[in-house]
Amino acid sequence: MGEKWVLMKTAQTPTNIAVIKYWGKRDETLILPVNDSISVTLDPAHLCTTTTVAVSPAFQQDRMWLNGKEMSLSGGRYQNCLREIRKRAREVEDKERGIKIEKKDWEKLHLHIASYNNFPTAAGLASSAAGFACLVYRTNGFGFDAVFALAKLMNVSEDESQLSAISRQGSGSACRSLFGGFVKWIMGKEDDGSDSLAVQLVDEKHWEDLFIIIAVVSSRQKETSSTSGMRESVETSSLLQHRAKEVVPKRTIQMEEAIQNRDFASFAKLACADSNQFHAVCLDTLPPIFYMNDTSHRQVLIYICWFLLGDVGEKNMYKTKEVLIEMVKSWLWDIVVLGSIPVKSRDMNLWRTTSQKSVIEVAYTFDAGPNAVLIARDRKAAAQLIQRLLFYFPPKSDTDLDSYLLGDKTILKDAGLEGLKDVEALSPPPENGSAQKYPGDVSDFICTRPGKGPILLSNDKLALLEPETGLPK
Amino acid sequence: MGEKWVLMKTAQTPTNIAVIKYWGKRDETLILPVNDSISVTLDPAHLCTTTTVAVSPAFQQDRMWLNGKEMSLSGGRYQNCLREIRKRAREVEDKERGIKIEKKDWEKLHLHIASYNNFPTAAGLASSAAGFACLVYRTNGFGFDAVFALAKLMNVSEDESQLSAISRQGSGSACRSLFGGFVKWIMGKEDDGSDSLAVQLVDEKHWEDLFIIIAVVSSRQKETSSTSGMRESVETSSLLQHRAKEVVPKRTIQMEEAIQNRDFASFAKLACADSNQFHAVCLDTLPPIFYMNDTSHRQVLIYICWFLLGDVGEKNMYKTKEVLIEMVKSWLWDIVVLGSIPVKSRDMNLWRTTSQKSVIEVAYTFDAGPNAVLIARDRKAAAQLIQRLLFYFPPKSDTDLDSYLLGDKTILKDAGLEGLKDVEALSPPPENGSAQKYPGDVSDFICTRPGKGPILLSNDKLALLEPETGLPK
């Protein structure tokens, strides 16, 4: 074979948000989790990673670039992934160009890998990009994107689940992104991790109504890396093992049912409860890990005020309402509307009458950072949600709406919001007549949907490496 | 007996701070907890409640005033306490005044009760008083102060532990305040609650070195009441039972040992861990309860940066340091001093060399609110702590130091701080050369010590009720 050719593949791979959380490894090297987790894959049109992998006899060593910056490939995680994927490489032939790579050649050939994260985020807002690092790309891991693209380049015959078991060794939770729709990462039982892999529960068409709005919280603080954070939790939290062994197994079954049945109320309750518990375990860690901040708390309280007040369990109706009303009265609201409700009285029917909603229409979940991920039941609920979010968290005066709400902007029309003037004119939500606003707490919102799994891009213009040199464009 | 006389007793009773937390009841009516708890009683010279109880044949009904405002006595809690204490009333005679009350008379006689909370807090700072409500007086309970004073008035023969079992039915955690020093509230096993009572572990002389500094966090938000909060946790948190059954029993034994041995390092680790876990359970509650806010988090991180970086367990030294350094780098600090440390490198000895401390000298604990309670090993540690606290959390410019640090002000001299100018001139702590300051985050600090239990005041001038009318002065 000639010495000058470069063979490339470019993939577009999505990100995912867990609704049953992964927190804690039982094996640090193989990245085997202490419990199953479930996630929804986000539409790559709004959030995705583009990855080009290239092979050439001219390459002197394996190299990788992330967002244009060369990264070291010396870490154990990269090496584990590369070894596993090389092991499975098969013969590849490009007859047109007269290139043929035998199975045994892959051992000697070096690779170039370039990844680029498509954050639809306002240019210049560094804080926003920082807030997103943990959401879109685990910088301390080797991406599943590279595993997927390399598998295609090397003509690997393994299916996506098998690839997820390899990709898991580069970056744990990202292995769920090898499918669209809802995905479960099975923890597995084997010591070698061979049965710890991702499976698709339903594809992205199964529950198309959902809208996902991410509130990127302005924050000077960087977070504890999830790798060290979860290690600390495993070592010091006395609650983590109980969660992993007793709580998550039942919750996973219930969540699968809720997803299969498109039962949004159950889905929302489980997702919120599991997010709460993940952050509870972080707090139970020594020293404690704080991912949620005051802005995150406010997001939760908006949600509680809007929905839960109208949908309390029958059994403990009074009790639940009492605490909710106290929370709402106390934290976020100035007690004008709510102050008229006789909290001390047991006649809670009055409140039921004043409540606008009796159905849960939004779920929240928080990953290892302060950003709220809000999942709305449907377009109508999403429009109502974005009205509330933009009311409470308007942009700073120097930001325009177009760079403040990113992703799927069609929702703005449903919400009757065409520009900043409409946002400024928003009335307080009916559940809260005297609401305080928090301009600047959020740097931007991203509206997206459940999305498809990774795909190969056939358009060579989208490749990140030069076809002649294999170096970044 | 005459119809005009009024017989009174006045008591001064302390407050307490739990170091092993009470969170969750197994019986709502009798107020029986799901686990033991341990507290330290605070010096009543700085924080206390004064309570006058009076009896007179002229009184038409039982009445109570709290901080000058009349409160309803119709709630079940008051009635339970009053019934229990009346049941134990014995003959009382005041020969000088010719008053004699037979045992049977108590059933017919009505009582007046007046309580006043001595908050040494800056006048006019309503937020501060609000922040203190949960710390000093459970407004939804019937105080142990009234139980104590009534027991003295009615010549009840039961000892303090027996009184604590009665007082528990008015307000749970306050029953620990019937003793000075360190106190354990034993959860008990009996259905009737007769063995759920407080016992003194050691008196206030046992560990005299300790200093306790309370940071009263400025906050517009009121908190979820602990009564409804813990009920919600019992009903919805899947971690609470595990904590109560598996974690706290062991931790209580270790904490008792640490207190007996004045082993500050163990004491601090257990207190911090238990505070963390209590707030973790709150977060695991549905809907979640947020007591700690960003200011609380910062208090914890100051502590971590100062002490834990120098005192990591031998076993997991590298791992613990890694996560700590990431936390410290990320959250609170601007990475000037810390930025020079090779975080990614495994050569952590560099950091050990730069670390100023290798002994834990402060513990933190947070009750059902954002206020930090910081317990310093001794006067020297307290002085260093107050230097740091006043550096990071200086008063607003319109506050003078005298109304900003309340309670035991002798610590200011040890810290070399005589006025606001000295506070402004404070150097950044050696562990953090470029620290950010948060003026206004804290409304005031209170410095206090472990203190004695309740006492009767013999000086009638301190009574809160008029000796002739039995009405508030």
Side-chain angles (χ1 to χ4, degrees), chain B residues 30-100:
Chain B
L30 293 171
I31 310 196
L32 301 177
V34 295
N35 56 252
D36 293 348
S37 54
I38 293 178
S39 62
V40 55
T41 299
L42 304 185
D43 189 343
H46 309 126
L47 290 165
C48 72
T49 302
T50 302
T51 303
T52 300
V53 292
V55 63
S56 168
F59 295 167
Q60 298 299 308
Q61 54 175 323
D62 293 340
R63 296 176 74 180
M64 186 170 94
W65 295 264
L66 177 59
N67 292 334
K69 195 184 155 200
E70 184 156 9
M71 313 292 287
S72 161
L73 272 175
S74 60
R77 290 184 170 200
Y78 310 124
Q79 294 306 323
N80 289 350
C81 273
L82 281 175
R83 192 181 55 244
E84 291 297 318
I85 202 87
R86 271 201 175 97
K87 221 189 272 180
R88 291 162 175 82
R90 298 190 301 172
E91 185 180 293
V92 170
E93 188 167 10
D94 183 335
K95 285 192 181 162
E96 242 173 74
R97 296 171 61 194
I99 301 169
K100 188 171 182 182

Side-chain angles (χ1 to χ4, degrees), chain B residues 273-336:
Chain B
D274 206 66
S275 173
N276 295 343
Q277 189 167 82
F278 153 49
H279 292 278
V281 168
C282 290
L283 207 47
D284 187 51
T285 301
L286 204 64
I289 302 164
F290 309 116
Y291 285 127
M292 294 173 80
N293 66 14
D294 284 354
T295 304
S296 316
H297 294 171
R298 285 181 196 120
Q299 304 263 359
V300 172
L301 292 164
I302 285 172
Y303 163 88
I304 291 170
C305 183
W306 184 17
F307 288 117
L308 288 189
L309 285 179
D311 179 76
V312 281
E314 290 309 309
K315 195 178 126 215
N316 297 308
M317 195 197 87
Y318 166 70
K319 291 174 183 173
T320 308
K321 284 198 171 165
E322 185 192 75
V323 68
L324 282 172
I325 291 170
E326 284 191 35
M327 286 177 76
V328 170
K329 271 185 67 173
S330 59
W331 195 304
L332 195 56
W333 276 265
D334 290 341
I335 323 176
V336 170

Side-chain angles (χ1 to χ4, degrees), chain B residues 376-427:
Chain B
R377 176 194 286 270
D378 54 24
R379 179 174 282 275
K380 191 179 156 205
Q384 291 181 307
L385 174 61
I386 205 73
Q387 284 174 343
R388 282 167 175 80
L389 290 173
L390 289 175
F391 173 82
Y392 292 116
F393 302 102
K396 283 188 177 167
S397 52
D398 56 350
T399 314
D400 63 273
L401 189 55
D402 198 54
S403 58
Y404 196 58
L405 185 101
L406 307 161
D408 180 353
K409 301 188 187 205
T410 63
I411 202 70
L412 285 176
K413 204 178 163 194
D414 296 78
L417 302 169
E418 295 193 355
L420 270 196
K421 289 208 169 158
D422 297 327
V423 172
E424 283 157 20
L426 276 171
S427 309

Side-chain angles (χ1 to χ4, degrees), chain A residues 364-377:
Chain A
Y364 66 80
T365 188
F366 290 79
D367 266 1
N371 304 327
V373 177
L374 302 157
I375 307 177
R377 175 194 287 270

Side-chain angles (χ1 to χ4, degrees), chain A residues 195-206:
Chain A
D195 59 348
S196 182
L197 40 78
V199 294
Q200 188 177 52
L201 296 177
V202 296
D203 71 14
E204 63 274 19
K205 301 287 176 198
H206 172 76

Side-chain angles (χ1 to χ4, degrees), chain A residues 350-416:
Chain A
L350 178 60
W351 175 243
R352 170 161 282 186
T353 315
T354 63
S355 171
Q356 302 296 308
K357 292 270 165 193
S358 60
V359 183
I360 294 183
E361 305 211 10
V362 175
Y364 66 80
T365 188
F366 290 79
D367 266 1
N371 304 327
V373 177
L374 302 157
I375 307 177
R377 175 194 287 270
D378 53 25
R379 179 174 282 276
K380 192 178 154 206
Q384 292 181 306
L385 174 62
I386 205 72
Q387 284 174 341
R388 281 167 176 79
L389 289 173
L390 290 175
F391 173 81
Y392 292 115
F393 302 102
K396 283 188 178 169
S397 52
D398 57 349
T399 314
D400 65 89
L401 189 55
D402 199 53
S403 58
Y404 195 58
L405 186 103
L406 306 160
D408 180 354
K409 303 188 186 206
T410 63
I411 202 72
L412 286 176
K413 205 178 163 196
D414 295 77

Side-chain angles (χ1 to χ4, degrees), chain A residues 6 10 30 97 110 138 141 215 219 224 282 291 293 324 443 454 463:
Chain A
V6 174
T10 297
L30 294 170
R97 296 171 60 193
H110 288 291
R138 313 285 163 154
S219 168
T224 306
C282 290
Y291 285 126
N293 66 13
L324 283 170
S443 66

